[in-house]
Amino acid sequence: MEDKLRIDCVVNDQPRTIEGYPMERLLDVLREQLNLTGTKEGCGEGECGACSVLIDGQLVNSCLVPVAQVAGCSIKTIEGIAISDDQLHAVQRAFIECGGAQCGICTPGMVIAAVSLLEKNSQPTEEGIREGLAGNLCRCTGYMKIFESVVRACQS
């Protein structure tokens, strides 16, 4: 059996030391060790995007990332998206205003994907929004309220 590693990284702008087995999933470490349960497990196979996080600004499925891979990296989870404790990110506000969240399983990953998209392109086309969210699956909303939420966030 492999020995646990001590991995230094930054999570939601806070320096953290994680202890985990090299091939342990980042998703599990975030949820179980750091108590960041906003990151959801949908499929566990990288197909649904519910576990999306940003690693050094890149959108990734945390269920596919071995924790050893995040040494020295900056990780942003849904808990770190708000501007401050009392000010939501424009994407979060838009999801609330437009009803973009239903059951909540896909919502953190959708928000992270939308934030990632808007950081790269603050005024995406409808096609750009669809492409930017393509790695995230939702079973509740039919996607229209989610797309409307991203459009509203662009207007903020």
Side-chain angles (χ1 to χ4, degrees):
M1 176 159 250
E2 298 175 75
D3 291 333
K4 283 190 172 186
L5 298 176
R6 289 179 54 89
I7 299 161
D8 293 320
C9 58
V10 175
V11 179
N12 296 330
D13 302 321
Q14 299 295 315
R16 301 298 294 258
T17 298
I18 297 170
E19 290 192 14
Y21 296 104
M23 294 306 292
E24 190 171 359
R25 300 182 313 169
L26 176 60
L27 170 64
D28 297 326
V29 171
L30 291 171
R31 291 182 56 81
E32 296 167 14
Q33 190 176 135
L34 301 180
N35 296 314
L36 296 171
T37 57
T39 303
K40 305 298 184 205
E41 179 168 6
C43 67
E45 298 176 352
E47 296 291 328
C48 73
C51 66
S52 296
V53 298
L54 299 172
I55 299 178
D56 291 338
Q58 295 297 311
L59 184 66
V60 300
N61 291 324
S62 63
C63 71
L64 297 179
V65 177
V67 73
Q69 191 172 326
V70 301
C73 293
S74 178
I75 302 162
K76 183 81 69 171
T77 69
I78 190 66
E79 289 90 349
I81 293 298
I83 305 301
S84 66
D85 287 342
D86 59 352
Q87 184 181 0
L88 295 177
H89 188 283
V91 172
Q92 292 171 308
R93 284 194 318 272
F95 265 68
I96 291 167
E97 293 166 2
C98 296
Q102 295 291 310
C103 80
I105 296 296
C106 76
T107 304
M110 286 285 188
V111 169
I112 294 275
V115 167
S116 176
L117 169 65
L118 297 182
E119 285 176 355
K120 293 177 180 85
N121 179 0
S122 63
Q123 295 298 315
T125 62
E126 183 177 330
E127 182 179 319
I129 294 170
R130 290 177 187 277
E131 187 175 308
L133 300 182
N136 297 75
L137 302 177
C138 174
R139 298 185 66 155
C140 299
T141 68
Y143 298 97
M144 292 315 299
K145 291 183 182 291
I146 293 169
F147 296 142
E148 291 168 13
S149 299
V150 178
V151 169
R152 171 130 349 142
C154 293
Q155 299 165 349
S156 297

